[in-house]
């Protein structure tokens, strides 16, 4: 009998690490497609994600699961909502990176773990230790510092955090496998994505996909760089406590933050530095508490 993702809970940790490392380095890929408008790029990203998902579904013999989800109105309703949220997240993120708001994008995924913790405790009834709540308070204080010094880009950070945080909760609750769910989300978004691609093809500049072979290949690569980390994330979301998953997520924005300093050369404002310092301290405290509690012997 074949194994499934639910038979190996430890798979969730490795899936989460893989997803966040890929997302952390994604801005380097976005440099290759910087000349493509954000809306058009997201359209092509969806178009090239779907065939890859279908190939993997067929290879893993998950077509019966896919059909079952497609014929379940409740599942389709939730996946319609999750696909909308992830599309909004993609557009805002790509636009932010293209517009050199790298720190704002990074901060969005620093805020997201706080939202994950709140959603995990309020909606999923997960419990936190006192040290973990202290970490949440420190991180929340850091985010609050931005209210006085980075209001112009705070909407970017909040949109990214709320859209992806809510997306993760929905995917954790929907009774559908990670891959079939991602395939259906891509299918739902296919018509709008094709419409966006057609709109840009009719514009004076023409379709970015036909500009050059190198750019076309780079755009097609976006399908794999979309499908693989989202698949890993969906697996992790089903196997890990949502609050724990949220704090592992600090890996991705930390990588993005370092890229903003080194590759993109974005100026770091003092209020942003103070905010990041608070959030890193909170992440360290949270992870240390998880590690120390995991080393304690389980009472018999």
């Amino acid at each position: 009998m074949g194994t499934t993702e639910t038979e190996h809970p430890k798979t969730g940790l490795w899936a989460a690490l893989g997803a966040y490392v890929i997302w952390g380095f994604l801005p380097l890929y976005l440099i290759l497609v910087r000349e493509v408008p954000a809306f058009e790029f997201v359209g092509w990203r969806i178009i090239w994600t779907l065939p890859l998902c279908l190939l993997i579904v067929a290879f893993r013999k998950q077509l019966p699961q896919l059909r079952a989800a497609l014929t379940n109105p409740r599942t389709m309703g939730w996946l319609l909502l999750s696909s909308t949220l992830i599309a909004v997240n993609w557009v805002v993120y790509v636009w932010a990176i293209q517009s050199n708001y790298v720190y704002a994008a990074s901060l969005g995924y620093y805020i997201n773990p706080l939202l994950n913790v709140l959603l995990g405790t309020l909606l999923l009834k997960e419990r936190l230790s006192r040290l973990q709540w202290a970490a949440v308070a420190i991180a929340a204080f850091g985010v609050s510092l931005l209210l006085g010094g980075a209001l112009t880009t705070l909407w970017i950070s909040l949109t990214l955090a709320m859209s992806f945080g809510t997306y993760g909760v929905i995917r954790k609750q929907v009774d559908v496998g990670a891959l079939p769910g991602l395939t259906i989300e891509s299918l739902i978004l296919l018509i709008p994505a094709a419409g966006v691609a057609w709109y840009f093809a009719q514009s004076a500049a023409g379709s970015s996909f036909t500009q050059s072979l190198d750019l076309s290949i780079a755009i097609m690569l976006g399908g794999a760089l979309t499908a693989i980390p989202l698949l890993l994330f969906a697996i992790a979301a089903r196997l890990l406590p949502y609050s724990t998953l949220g704090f592992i997520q600090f890996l991705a924005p930390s990588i993005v933050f370092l890229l903003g300093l080194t590759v993109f050369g974005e100026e770091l404002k003092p209020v942003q530095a103070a905010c990041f310092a608070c959030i890193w301290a909170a992440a360290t405290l949270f992870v240390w508490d998880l590690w120390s509690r995991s080393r304690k012997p389980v009472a018999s």
Side-chain angles (χ1 to χ4, degrees):
M1 181 173 63
T3 59
T4 65
E5 64 198 42
T6 56
E7 292 179 79
H8 301 284
K10 290 183 179 179
T11 302
L13 175 61
W14 292 108
L17 291 174
Y20 292 137
V21 167
I22 294 173
W23 279 327
F25 285 103
L26 190 63
L28 295 180
Y29 161 71
L30 294 178
I31 293 176
L32 300 177
V33 293
R34 173 167 262 171
E35 60 192 272
V36 184
F39 271 103
E40 183 185 6
F41 174 71
V42 171
W44 284 115
R45 189 176 182 179
I46 294 164
I47 290 170
W48 289 108
T49 296
L50 181 58
L52 178 60
C53 287
L54 289 172
L55 285 174
I56 302 175
V57 164
F59 177 78
R60 297 183 63 182
K61 299 180 180 180
Q62 291 183 305
L63 288 174
Q65 297 179 35
L66 184 63
R67 284 195 294 268
L70 286 169
T71 55
N72 187 318
R74 181 179 182 277
T75 297
M76 289 300 296
W78 282 115
L79 290 177
L80 175 62
L81 178 57
S82 67
S83 62
T84 302
L85 289 168
I86 200 61
V88 170
N89 182 274
W90 287 343
V91 170
V92 173
Y93 184 80
V94 172
W95 178 84
I97 298 298
Q98 289 182 340
S99 303
N100 283 327
Y101 294 125
V102 180
Y103 292 144
S106 173
L107 182 62
Y109 292 105
Y110 276 125
I111 297 173
N112 188 228
L114 299 177
L115 183 61
N116 288 353
V117 169
L118 292 176
L119 292 173
T121 54
L122 296 177
L123 300 181
L124 307 179
K125 308 303 180 184
E126 297 174 0
R127 294 185 178 181
L128 300 182
S129 69
R130 290 182 179 179
L131 279 180
Q132 290 170 352
W133 275 117
V136 173
I138 294 171
F141 172 74
V143 172
S144 69
L145 294 176
L146 289 180
L147 294 176
L151 283 176
T152 56
T153 59
L154 187 59
W155 72 269
I156 298 173
S157 305
L158 293 178
T159 301
L160 291 174
M162 289 188 290
S163 60
F164 196 71
T166 310
Y167 171 82
V169 169
I170 291 173
R171 287 308 308 270
K172 188 173 181 68
Q173 297 301 298
V174 175
D175 187 21
V176 61
L179 181 58
L182 177 58
T183 305
I184 293 173
E185 287 172 339
S186 301
L187 184 61
I188 291 172
L189 294 172
L190 181 61
I191 293 179
V196 169
W198 178 85
Y199 171 81
F200 280 94
Q202 304 306 308
S203 67
S207 173
S208 298
F209 191 72
T210 60
Q211 297 297 321
S212 68
L213 178 60
D214 291 345
L215 186 57
S216 298
I217 294 174
I219 291 173
M220 292 173 65
L221 181 60
L225 292 177
T226 297
I228 293 173
L230 267 182
L231 174 59
L232 292 173
F233 173 80
I235 292 172
R238 291 172 64 85
L239 298 179
L240 293 177
Y242 203 53
S243 54
T244 300
L245 176 65
F247 268 80
I248 296 174
Q249 184 183 348
F250 278 119
L251 177 62
S254 295
I255 296 173
V256 175
F257 175 83
L258 292 175
L259 291 177
L261 280 176
T262 57
V263 177
F264 291 86
E266 186 177 352
E267 179 187 0
L268 181 63
K269 299 177 181 179
V271 68
Q272 290 173 318
C275 176
F276 286 132
C278 288
I279 290 176
W280 284 333
T284 301
L285 182 61
F286 193 95
V287 172
W288 181 84
D289 183 69
L290 287 177
W291 178 80
S292 61
R293 290 164 69 86
S294 70
R295 291 177 59 85
K296 292 180 180 178
V298 179
S300 57

